[in-house]
Amino acid sequence: MAKIAYILLCHKDPDAVVKQAERLTTAGDYMSIHFDARADPAHFKQISAALKDNPNVTFAHRRIRCGWGEWSLVQATLYAVESAVEAFPRATHFYMLSGDCMAIKTAQYVHNFLDENDADFIESFDYFKSDWIKTGMKEERLIYRHFFNERSHKRQFYASMHLQQRLGLTRSIPADVDVQIGSQWWCLRRRTIEWVLDFTRQRRDVMRFFRTTWIPDETFFQTVVRHVVPEDEIRCRTLTFLLFSDYGMPVTFYDDHYDLLLGQDFLFARKISPEALDLKRRLGLLYAAKDVPFQISNEGTSLFKFLSGRGRIGRRFSTRFWETESTLGRNRELLIIICKKWHVAKRMLERIRQMTNVPAIEYLFNEEHSPLPDLGGIQTTLEKRTRHRRALMRMLFDYYETDRLIVCMDPGNLDLLEDFAGDRSITRMLEIQCNFTDEYLVGHAMRVGLAGEQTGAETIERLLPTIRNDMIFESDRIRDADFEHLGRIQESADLDDNARALAQFLSVPEDKAREIAEVDYLFAD
């Protein structure tokens, strides 16, 4: 059975550190602690005294002062790892933790998982080809030497880097090393840890290089593990569940996140709020439990993005110049069907195709594989279609040699609707308002990744009002936009009302519109 040596880096809350060490070692595992030398000395004495009689706990053989983004974090980790390797010869795995981490599975589950997966778990993406770094410095982290901390000595940090830039003092990355990047929270097998320690002793050139890089805790282990371990033995993921806000800050979990955390396909979570006393209590009891079944839904990341992203999705900072200065054509007519239930809009579109000669295209701004003609590459991705929306639409008008074109759009595409409504062409819109049953909303949540087959009923129950209100909000925003040519048909309205709205939208006689709208299965789910 797997026996884990937890590598704990911490700098505060001695009571929590002691509890964490006792909880994890009670299950037969080990812990090696590095307590930041910057922290209160009394706190370290308290931790040492409380754990001195625990044979499954050791301390880094050297304590150093740690700073965010500095090599000191990697060095502290190496000191703790070296002590763990020496103190715990029976340890099969080494798992990196912080003082804010807690297990979200039982010890039994954790051990079984590692027994069944003979691999190293560490995020390691190509530094230059991946988009792991969203904003800020990238190449500059590596090619310049960083002697100051950007957070505590910002002026000196940037002055040093700018001086190196002016003098052309760049440096090369070691030739045989492909720099990788990823989360610092890893779980590595003993053999891998021993290989990494051998590497640190043999490759002094690589060590010198990383000592003056910026934020090496995101690159050092990620790079070295890829260098010493075969690729097929690496799982490019972390076993610690963590989320980041739009501002790059870790999301904190509180008492009401218990069910959410248990449903994620991870072993630990970071970071748990110090005030989440009930969550800590429940997770502590859980770790010691036996034969607990877990329903893995794994919707945490998508659910967080959904709940925190309302009102921001699809919005842009400014209009591109080629869109501001372009037009679809003054005499052209763009007809837009707006509907949240895409299958309903597609049925309506197919019926219109059968009854008219107007070219019609499905959700071209929402579905990557929506059938489109070859327009020179502008149609290949959703990102290109959206960015060059007016150019794309002009090309479609030209391709079909028509002055009338029908497309489908999601109610969430308000920015697109506003853009086309502001064009010199005539833009007519028809919103199809459907009824949303709980069953449909559950299916919608699963289709978009907010829930899975194993998502608990309590989570679904809390999620449904949010999804329903979000759909109502999107419809209200369309109504509030006060578009000049906006009609509406409703599932709950009678056929005559819907036929009149459809006739006005298509500019066809009402009897023909009635023939289009009277399809029995139009609103069926």
Side-chain angles (χ1 to χ4, degrees):
M1 175 182 283
K3 293 186 74 68
I4 308 164
Y6 291 104
I7 309 301
L8 179 66
L9 263 59
C10 49
H11 64 279
K12 61 181 180 180
D13 202 348
D15 290 331
V17 171
V18 171
K19 290 179 181 178
Q20 188 178 35
E22 291 175 341
R23 178 171 54 250
L24 295 178
T25 58
T26 297
D29 293 313
Y30 311 106
M31 179 172 287
S32 179
I33 302 172
H34 180 279
F35 195 76
D36 194 342
R38 293 179 186 270
D40 188 341
H43 289 171
F44 181 67
K45 290 181 179 179
Q46 179 183 343
I47 296 171
S48 301
L51 299 174
K52 64 181 178 64
D53 295 327
N54 188 330
N56 286 12
V57 173
T58 191
F59 293 88
H61 59 83
R62 181 180 174 187
R63 291 174 60 215
I64 59 175
R65 297 163 65 87
C66 296
W68 186 91
E70 296 179 6
W71 169 256
S72 55
L73 287 175
V74 177
Q75 188 63 72
T77 304
L78 288 172
Y79 286 151
V81 167
E82 290 168 350
S83 295
V85 168
E86 182 178 352
F88 310 125
R90 296 181 60 198
T92 62
H93 294 77
F94 294 75
Y95 196 122
M96 180 78 173
L97 291 176
S98 76
D100 296 323
C101 297
M102 284 197 72
I104 56 175
K105 299 290 187 294
T106 62
Q108 181 186 51
Y109 184 101
V110 171
H111 291 142
N112 289 342
F113 180 92
L114 295 179
D115 285 338
E116 294 167 2
N117 294 273
D118 184 20
D120 296 305
F121 290 85
I122 181 169
E123 281 189 351
S124 54
F125 303 99
D126 187 282
Y127 188 91
F128 294 101
K129 295 179 182 179
S130 72
D131 63 346
W132 203 86
I133 298 176
K134 303 297 183 184
T135 60
M137 295 187 299
K138 189 168 186 177
E139 185 180 28
E140 294 86 349
R141 288 197 197 183
L142 306 179
I143 64 173
Y144 298 114
R145 296 168 176 84
H146 300 282
F147 304 103
F148 302 96
N149 188 295
E150 192 267 348
R151 288 193 171 183
S152 58
H153 297 88
K154 185 180 292 288
R155 185 174 178 180
Q156 294 93 324
F157 179 91
Y158 287 105
S160 171
M161 187 175 70
H162 293 155
L163 177 62
Q164 294 178 69
Q165 290 174 331
R166 287 196 299 271
L167 297 178
L169 299 177
T170 60
R171 60 175 176 174
S172 299
I173 298 169
D176 62 336
V177 172
D178 293 324
V179 179
Q180 306 288 306
I181 191 167
S183 168
Q184 70 183 102
W185 312 109
W186 40 254
C187 178
L188 304 176
R189 296 167 297 174
R190 185 181 192 93
R191 183 189 65 178
T192 301
I193 284 291
E194 291 172 347
W195 285 348
V196 169
L197 293 179
D198 287 342
F199 183 94
T200 65
R201 290 187 284 266
Q202 296 168 8
R203 294 298 303 272
R204 297 299 180 183
D205 58 325
V206 177
M207 299 297 285
R208 284 193 300 270
F209 171 79
F210 276 106
R211 280 194 182 98
T212 50
T213 60
W214 182 234
I215 320 182
D217 54 301
E218 294 179 346
T219 56
F220 178 76
F221 285 98
Q222 296 78 359
T223 300
V224 175
V225 169
R226 282 279 178 188
H227 192 82
V228 300
V229 177
E231 183 175 359
D232 62 357
E233 296 183 23
I234 297 174
R235 304 294 178 265
C236 192
R237 58 161 294 194
T238 175
L239 296 178
T240 298
F241 179 59
L242 65 164
L243 296 171
F244 288 94
S245 71
D246 292 349
Y247 305 100
M249 300 300 292
V251 173
T252 301
F253 298 110
Y254 296 92
D255 287 341
D256 58 349
H257 288 123
Y258 179 80
D259 291 329
L260 172 71
L261 293 177
L262 265 60
Q264 306 315 306
D265 188 19
F266 296 86
L267 306 183
F268 282 75
R270 182 181 187 274
K271 57 194 232 170
I272 309 299
S273 169
E275 288 78 34
L277 300 181
D278 188 58
L279 176 61
K280 289 185 174 183
R281 179 188 63 81
R282 296 177 73 184
L283 290 177
L285 293 173
L286 174 72
Y287 190 70
K290 300 290 186 181
D291 300 325
V292 177
F294 291 94
Q295 293 184 335
I296 305 300
S297 58
N298 217 32
E299 79 281 6
T301 302
S302 57
L303 183 59
F304 172 76
K305 289 180 179 179
F306 172 77
L307 295 177
S308 63
R310 297 302 87 197
R312 293 194 300 274
I313 295 175
R315 293 190 178 180
R316 292 160 41 181
F317 294 102
S318 62
T319 305
R320 288 1 184 223
F321 73 89
W322 56 82
E323 295 169 350
T324 303
E325 299 300 327
S326 66
T327 178
L328 305 187
R330 191 180 296 275
N331 297 320
R332 284 173 168 170
E333 191 173 9
L334 177 63
L335 308 179
I336 304 175
I337 295 177
I338 308 165
C339 187
K340 196 65 181 180
K341 289 187 177 181
W342 294 2
H343 62 280
V344 173
K346 291 177 181 180
R347 288 173 189 159
M348 175 66 76
L349 204 66
E350 181 58 32
R351 188 67 174 161
I352 292 173
R353 283 196 189 105
Q354 297 171 1
M355 302 294 294
T356 72
N357 292 320
V358 182
I361 303 172
E362 296 176 356
Y363 286 85
L364 73 166
F365 294 109
N366 301 99
E367 292 185 305
E368 192 87 55
H369 301 295
S370 181
L372 289 173
D374 186 353
L375 302 174
I378 193 174
Q379 82 290 346
T380 53
T381 67
L382 292 178
E383 191 270 338
K384 285 184 179 180
R385 297 176 201 171
T386 303
R387 188 169 72 244
H388 306 295
R389 60 191 67 171
R390 292 195 186 185
L392 171 68
M393 208 61 71
R394 285 201 315 274
M395 295 171 76
L396 288 171
F397 274 107
D398 293 340
Y399 178 85
Y400 289 110
E401 297 180 349
T402 183
D403 287 332
R404 301 187 80 208
L405 183 68
I406 307 176
V407 299
C408 294
M409 291 191 193
D410 188 272
N413 298 137
L414 182 63
D415 62 325
L416 296 175
L417 299 174
E418 290 176 331
D419 194 19
F420 288 124
D423 190 77
R424 295 171 187 170
S425 63
I426 299 172
T427 302
R428 300 187 186 278
M429 303 179 193
L430 179 69
E431 183 184 8
I432 303 178
Q433 291 189 331
C434 304
N435 299 331
F436 299 108
T437 63
D438 286 350
E439 290 77 14
Y440 173 80
L441 294 179
V442 171
H444 174 76
M446 291 184 177
R447 285 189 294 274
V448 301
L450 299 177
E453 293 293 340
Q454 302 301 323
T455 302
E458 185 178 347
T459 301
I460 291 290
E461 186 176 349
R462 293 200 306 266
L463 184 60
L464 289 184
T466 303
I467 299 176
R468 189 184 300 278
N469 291 336
D470 190 66
M471 292 181 176
I472 294 173
F473 175 70
E474 288 178 345
S475 182
D476 286 343
R477 288 202 306 168
I478 293 172
R479 188 187 296 266
D480 293 340
D482 197 24
F483 294 120
E484 182 179 0
H485 303 291
L486 173 64
R488 187 173 289 104
I489 67 175
Q490 299 173 299
E491 182 175 355
S492 56
D494 61 42
L495 181 59
D496 290 338
D497 290 339
N498 286 343
R500 280 192 293 272
L502 187 58
Q504 187 173 5
F505 173 69
L506 294 173
S507 300
V508 299
E510 282 194 25
D511 58 342
K512 190 169 189 176
R514 171 186 282 271
E515 191 176 352
I516 295 173
E518 65 182 357
V519 181
D520 293 336
Y521 58 85
L522 178 63
F523 292 101
D525 288 334

